[in-house]
Amino acid sequence: MKKILCLLLCMLTLVTLSASAEFWGGLSISSGRNYFSSALKESLQLNPIYKDTFMVNTIGPYFDAVFFPSSKVRAGIVGSAGADFTISRNSVGYFSRHFDNSLDFSLGLAYYQLLSNDTWGFFIDSRYFSKIYNYATNNEKNNKLEQFEYTRCDESGVNTSIGFLAKLRNRYFKMGFKFALPLTSGFFDGWRLDIFAGGGVCF
């Protein structure tokens, strides 16, 4: 009897938690400046376009998702996937005909705090990220006979985001800053700073 009672209490607790759980998902646009680490520079030495590049400016879309076990205290798991497309190299504008990019995947913990009757507030999160760079070896105009390949390299690290949050019924908007450091090189050897804005829906 005691075992059955304990089982029922556990099930009731799980139901209560799941009933107040929330899932937030949406899209955002991010733009930032990425300084290359020593390891990344070395990996690009055989790329004739990027071998002397020490930083790029990028812009691109991201999909973000956050799961909160309880809507009363919005602390949970956050993840994202996105692509950053090169628009500048070494502070000089650059038009990439082959859509040079870096793919970014991250997973971590987030805390959202809403004030004023759940209408606005702030957020902060910290994540582990993995990034894959895809840079073409030339930038000639597209034609059927063109021969080119991508230099592909990767790095991983940690990033932290902080910013403003607004919520209206089951929709939300957020904007903020993200700072990232790779762990493949020495401390502060290569870093990235982004500004982003986006929104989505809450379930």
Side-chain angles (χ1 to χ4, degrees):
M1 187 65 180
K2 289 183 179 179
K3 291 182 179 180
I4 295 175
L5 188 58
C6 288
L7 182 61
L8 288 173
L9 285 173
C10 289
M11 290 178 64
L12 182 61
T13 302
L14 290 173
V15 169
T16 303
L17 287 174
S18 62
S20 64
E22 283 186 344
F23 177 84
W24 295 33
L27 296 172
S28 62
I29 294 294
S30 178
S31 181
R33 175 168 290 193
N34 190 171
Y35 284 90
F36 289 172
S37 64
S38 299
L40 186 56
K41 291 177 187 176
E42 186 176 346
S43 299
L44 294 170
Q45 283 306 298
L46 297 180
N47 186 306
I49 294 179
Y50 285 86
K51 65 179 181 180
D52 296 320
T53 301
F54 61 87
M55 62 82 71
V56 293
N57 285 77
T58 63
I59 189 170
Y62 275 74
F63 171 74
D64 307 289
V66 192
F67 174 73
F68 300 117
S70 172
S71 60
K72 294 180 180 179
V73 179
R74 291 186 173 96
I77 300 172
V78 60
S80 69
D84 295 301
F85 297 95
T86 302
I87 56 174
S88 170
R89 296 187 306 112
N90 296 345
S91 298
V92 178
Y94 180 71
F95 175 73
S96 171
R97 293 182 172 86
H98 304 300
F99 303 102
D100 295 353
N101 64 83
S102 59
L103 304 177
D104 191 297
F105 306 93
S106 66
L107 185 67
L109 300 175
Y111 176 70
Y112 286 21
Q113 178 63 62
L114 288 170
L115 308 169
S116 186
N117 201 28
D118 257 14
T119 55
W120 61 270
F122 68 90
F123 68 90
I124 184 170
D125 63 55
S126 185
R127 318 180 196 183
Y128 173 85
F129 73 83
S130 179
K131 188 180 288 286
I132 304 170
Y133 294 90
N134 300 287
Y135 291 143
T137 53
N138 67 39
N139 197 38
E140 297 177 5
K141 291 183 178 180
N142 293 329
N143 62 71
K144 294 181 179 179
L145 301 177
E146 182 183 10
Q147 299 292 322
F148 75 94
E149 59 184 15
Y150 286 101
T151 300
R152 290 188 169 88
C153 39
D154 60 82
E155 68 181 5
S156 57
V158 292
N159 65 50
T160 298
S161 301
I162 188 169
F164 169 79
L165 183 67
K167 182 175 179 286
L168 178 63
R169 298 185 182 91
N170 67 331
R171 297 179 179 85
Y172 73 90
F173 169 81
K174 67 177 184 177
M175 64 180 299
F177 297 92
K178 179 174 69 177
F179 181 75
L181 277 176
L183 298 177
T184 50
S185 303
F187 182 71
F188 238 81
D189 179 16
W191 54 274
R192 180 179 180 90
L193 180 64
D194 290 84
I195 183 171
F196 61 88
V201 295
C202 313
F203 302 97

